[in-house]
Amino acid sequence: MPSDTVRVVYTKYDGSAHRDYPARRFDSDELGVWVGVTRGTESVYHGRQSVEQIPFVLLIPHHTWWTGMFNPQPRTSEVYCDITTPARWEGDTVHIIDLDLDVVRRRSTGVVELRDEDEFEEHRTQFGYPDDLVREARAAADELLVALGDGREPFATKYQQYLQQVAD
């Protein structure tokens, strides 16, 4: 039986620290593992100690090249998807490699945008991303650019039941 707490560890492709935080496991379904982070959770952000100021829900899909963060107000991004390698689980710790590209849906307008292409290209050269990784990352971004805008789950309403459990 898995514990109620999951440790979420994001690194960059070169192994450097990116994000690291504990999260509460809510559910596991056909979409992936749903976890939540409350305000005040101690975390590491870009290798530095931090405290989460705004709660969020994270969907860690079973076999896809992205993770989905679902945010309450006042965050301007309702949905923020990091393009990543597929999650690798070791017990109650999940390891994820952040590949720089992000697909975001803005709360006020519903506009879906691709972010950090410049960082992706810089790290592609610096870290030597293999061609197959580049193809998978770009394909995931292309898929999300459509999925965040067309009303399909998990980006429509499913996340709201979990977000209510972490929001103040």
Side-chain angles (χ1 to χ4, degrees):
M1 182 77 170
S3 78
D4 288 344
T5 302
V6 170
R7 180 177 173 206
V8 179
V9 179
Y10 282 88
T11 58
K12 288 296 188 174
Y13 190 77
D14 69 345
S16 61
H18 184 53
R19 297 196 75 192
D20 187 335
Y21 52 85
R24 179 177 159 212
R25 183 189 312 257
F26 290 128
D27 196 9
S28 181
D29 61 19
E30 71 283 354
L31 298 169
V33 178
W34 294 89
V35 299
V37 176
T38 57
R39 181 192 333 221
T41 299
E42 292 184 12
S43 63
V44 173
Y45 186 65
H46 293 289
R48 295 192 173 124
Q49 293 290 33
S50 183
V51 175
E52 297 297 329
Q53 299 300 311
I54 300 174
F56 61 90
V57 167
L58 183 72
L59 171 61
I60 307 160
H62 296 298
H63 305 290
T64 64
W65 286 73
W66 56 269
T67 58
M69 182 187 298
F70 302 88
N71 303 305
Q73 294 184 15
R75 281 206 202 274
T76 59
S77 60
E78 179 181 20
V79 181
Y80 194 106
C81 292
D82 288 297
I83 303 302
T84 67
T85 58
R88 182 177 54 82
W89 288 88
E90 289 181 354
D92 291 321
T93 300
V94 61
H95 298 273
I96 304 163
I97 299 174
D98 182 276
L99 298 174
D100 316 308
L101 293 173
D102 305 302
V103 179
V104 179
R105 183 172 70 209
R106 295 288 166 204
R107 180 178 314 285
S108 62
T109 62
V111 169
V112 177
E113 59 190 25
L114 178 63
R115 301 189 57 207
D116 297 332
E117 288 183 275
D118 54 341
E119 184 181 355
F120 179 77
E121 287 304 320
E122 178 184 324
H123 286 168
R124 177 183 183 178
T125 301
Q126 181 181 354
F127 301 148
Y129 290 172
D131 290 343
D132 61 333
L133 181 140
V134 172
R135 277 191 302 277
E136 292 288 353
R138 291 210 176 275
D142 289 346
E143 176 187 327
L144 288 169
L145 283 166
V146 174
L148 266 68
D150 71 5
R152 78 177 84 158
E153 295 295 357
F155 309 110
T157 61
K158 174 114 177 137
Y159 68 91
Q160 292 172 356
Q161 65 183 309
Y162 304 116
L163 198 54
Q164 290 174 356
Q165 296 180 54
V166 296
D168 296 332

